[in-house]
Amino acid sequence: QKEVEQNSGPLSVPEGAIASLNCTYSDRVSQSFFWYRQYSGKSPELIMSIYSNGDKEDGRFTAQLNKASQYVSLLIRDSQPSDSATYLCAVNYRGNEKLTFGTGTRLTIIP
Amino acid sequence: EAQVTQNPRYLITVTGKKLTVTCSQNMNHEYMSWYRQDPGLGLRQIYYSMNVEVTDKGDVPEGYKVSRKEKRNFPLILESPSPNQTSLYFCASSRAGQGHYEQYFGPGTRLTVT
């Protein structure tokens, strides 16, 4: 059973601090990892993708991938109230076009 | 502007009345997919399509039908809707065969079946 697990939260972080979101996955045959942001009632929006071990930075966002430990994380630096949303982790398994989503972590940035 | 569109955005209907939710993308993507999103259950895939005339079941296909006659369109059909199909539905598309599979989502259709 391929699964993607996230802590549902809510995760509360003061404005300006670093928010750390984590995701674990159950199958080693995976190749692509994604973080989506979803505001309440809106559609998921792709914010980061990562395909190899290590860190990938894009502005205030950093994705970290550790395939040996089967986890992927998202760091948000200098958190802003506009970062308050649900963050979805998604994994693509090798040989399959499908994305498997976690249930999401709700993040609240406290002004 | 590159986008995925869905119609209608909101729909209230009654049990058993057939309905179709349309999905269209202008990015020439091969892969298209339908998801439903329910509280506590996350995004669950209903059906997907690898290309024209190629469709397959996702995780929760019961009660739904799809077709892919044109590359840009992927309608979702509920032949006899039931209240347990009340949900928020998303269509998504992506390139296929590139190894990356970033999916782009439509704005969503909120369906209520009474």
Side-chain angles (χ1 to χ4, degrees):
Chain A
Q1 179 74 20
K2 298 182 176 71
E3 292 183 354
V4 178
E5 296 190 359
Q6 298 179 253
N7 188 321
S8 62
L11 174 65
S12 296
V13 173
E15 183 176 355
I18 296 175
S20 178
L21 304 163
N22 298 311
C23 172
T24 59
Y25 57 96
S26 63
D27 197 302
R28 290 186 177 274
V29 185
S30 54
Q31 61 178 357
S32 308
F33 305 85
F34 307 92
W35 283 100
Y36 286 81
R37 178 177 61 200
Q38 186 176 25
Y39 294 113
S40 180
K42 302 297 186 182
S43 60
E45 173 192 11
L46 180 67
I47 55 171
M48 289 288 286
S49 57
I50 186 166
Y51 311 109
S52 54
N53 278 327
D55 295 359
K56 178 182 178 182
E57 187 174 317
D58 184 0
R60 296 187 297 112
F61 298 98
T62 298
Q64 300 175 318
L65 176 60
N66 184 322
K67 288 191 176 183
S69 300
Q70 295 178 232
Y71 81 79
V72 55
S73 61
L74 179 70
L75 301 178
I76 306 174
R77 290 182 299 281
D78 188 24
S79 297
Q80 303 296 310
S82 59
D83 295 326
S84 297
T86 296
Y87 288 81
L88 304 172
C89 173
V91 177
N92 167 255
Y93 294 95
R94 191 180 303 279
N96 188 332
E97 302 284 345
K98 177 183 174 180
L99 280 185
T100 301
F101 285 85
T103 54
T105 298
R106 186 157 58 93
L107 173 66
T108 300
I109 306 301
I110 304 168
Chain B
E1 179 189 358
Q3 60 181 351
V4 180
T5 58
Q6 293 178 230
N7 281 292
R9 295 288 313 280
Y10 303 91
L11 179 59
I12 300 174
T13 190
V14 296
T15 299
K17 186 176 181 181
K18 180 179 178 179
L19 67 91
T20 299
V21 183
T22 64
C23 173
S24 183
Q25 49 93 5
N26 63 0
M27 295 171 278
N28 201 35
H29 284 166
E30 294 84 7
Y31 182 89
M32 298 185 74
S33 180
W34 276 102
Y35 297 89
R36 61 178 289 173
Q37 188 173 39
D38 303 288
L41 297 177
L43 280 165
R44 295 181 292 168
Q45 190 180 51
I46 302 170
Y47 269 94
Y48 65 95
S49 169
M50 296 293 293
N51 214 322
V52 176
E53 302 291 2
V54 181
T55 64
D56 208 346
K57 297 177 181 178
D59 298 316
V60 288
E62 295 78 18
Y64 304 94
K65 287 177 59 177
V66 293
S67 67
R68 187 93 180 272
K69 294 183 169 53
E70 302 169 284
K71 194 172 186 179
R72 64 183 292 125
N73 296 324
F74 190 43
L76 179 69
I77 303 159
L78 285 72
E79 298 245 335
S80 184
S82 63
N84 65 10
Q85 292 178 297
T86 292
S87 187
L88 180 59
Y89 291 86
F90 291 104
C91 180
S93 73
S94 70
R95 298 176 70 182
Q98 302 298 317
H100 291 175
Y101 312 118
E102 295 96 341
Q103 290 191 15
Y104 298 91
F105 285 80
T109 296
R110 188 168 292 281
L111 172 65
T112 302
V113 184
T114 61

